[in-house]
Amino acid sequence: FHERATMIRGWDFGLNPTCVWVTVTAKGRIHVLGCVVGENIGLEQLIKEAVEPWQADNDIHAPRATREQGFGLGAAAGFTFRDIGDPAGLQREQSNSDRSAAWTLQQMLNTSFEAAPPDWPARRDSLRAVLNRMIQGTPKLLIDPEAKPIIRALRGGWRYHKTSDGRLSSLPVKDIHSHPGDALAYVTAVLFPVEDLVRKVQNAAAMQVPVRAPAKSWLGL
């Protein structure tokens, strides 16, 4: 990691709260570093039992002062954090109208929450475009082998429901695989809106510059 790197955390909430850690290089390549998924627990439990331990194990921390020279250099300087996720996290809890998932996140991790676009096509098309982009012969999206929930989701776990007559549902099935997929798609929808990608393709075409356009197939679409 380089000095003053930004660590992006993508969030999905509900009874299977999920966090995915992402960094983006100067060339626009996306590195998925890890992912944790809770099963029938709350966000507060996920942060205490999985998010904070994962960050501690991987030395992912905010900048901290040293006696000799103020804040450290390079990886020792720590990271700035950007938290992007499910817009439903802004909704207040029924049991406590003063709280929401976003409020809990901000209080526990001393951060600021950004809500991603609520509509599925914006998230689907952004992630699909990212998955089909290459940068200098290497995929734009690189996933660490340790980020197993993301790998399982993108290898077919995250899917649409198919009826007996072959029709597909309009939204993916909500299960243990959809939460990691959604957490990542919230990040790509904010950082790489598909409208911007299409605009770049159109501008390059107008200038007769060859580009790699997004492919049309992903999740059966």
Side-chain angles (χ1 to χ4, degrees):
F1 302 117
H2 58 82
E3 184 180 357
R4 296 181 182 176
T6 298
M7 182 64 62
I8 302 161
R9 291 179 293 215
W11 298 89
D12 191 40
F13 302 122
L15 290 178
N16 296 101
T18 299
C19 179
V20 57
W21 288 267
V22 175
T23 60
V24 181
T25 69
K27 293 184 178 180
R29 186 170 285 119
I30 305 168
H31 291 180
V32 178
L33 305 178
C35 179
V36 293
V37 183
E39 294 189 45
N40 296 316
I41 62 174
L43 177 61
E44 185 172 339
Q45 287 175 278
L46 180 79
I47 292 174
K48 289 181 178 179
E49 298 174 7
V51 173
E52 292 178 336
W54 189 92
Q55 292 186 171
D57 290 344
N58 290 277
D59 199 24
I60 306 297
H61 57 81
R64 50 195 182 208
T66 61
R67 291 182 179 179
E68 293 80 13
Q69 53 185 359
F71 288 99
L73 300 176
F79 302 84
T80 58
F81 291 90
R82 186 173 178 183
D83 291 277
I84 301 171
D86 184 356
L90 297 174
Q91 298 174 5
R92 296 177 179 179
E93 297 177 1
Q94 291 183 349
S95 59
N96 187 339
S97 61
D98 293 331
R99 298 184 58 168
S100 65
W103 182 91
T104 299
L105 181 70
Q106 292 175 163
Q107 293 297 309
M108 293 188 68
L109 296 176
N110 190 28
T111 187
S112 179
F113 177 72
E114 299 177 53
D119 58 307
W120 164 239
R123 293 178 277 128
R124 175 198 63 200
D125 294 346
S126 174
L127 185 53
R128 177 172 61 185
V130 163
L131 284 166
N132 286 281
R133 289 289 301 278
M134 302 285 284
I135 298 177
Q136 297 178 339
T138 303
K140 181 180 180 70
L141 180 68
L142 300 175
I143 304 174
D144 190 283
E146 293 300 314
K148 291 180 175 61
I150 293 291
I151 294 172
R152 287 193 290 264
L154 296 181
R155 280 184 173 172
W158 193 21
R159 69 200 187 283
Y160 293 112
H161 174 70
K162 190 173 184 178
T163 63
S164 57
D165 59 1
R167 290 181 297 172
L168 296 177
S169 57
S170 59
L171 296 174
V173 175
K174 280 290 185 183
D175 60 11
I176 198 66
H177 299 296
S178 68
H179 304 292
D182 280 334
L184 180 59
Y186 289 132
V187 172
T188 62
V190 170
L191 300 184
F192 304 97
V194 72
E195 295 86 354
D196 290 351
L197 294 172
V198 170
R199 191 179 304 113
K200 289 179 181 178
V201 171
Q202 293 173 337
N203 291 342
M207 297 173 62
Q208 297 184 343
V209 176
V211 298
R212 185 182 180 89
K216 295 183 179 180
S217 61
W218 175 68
L219 287 179
L221 300 174

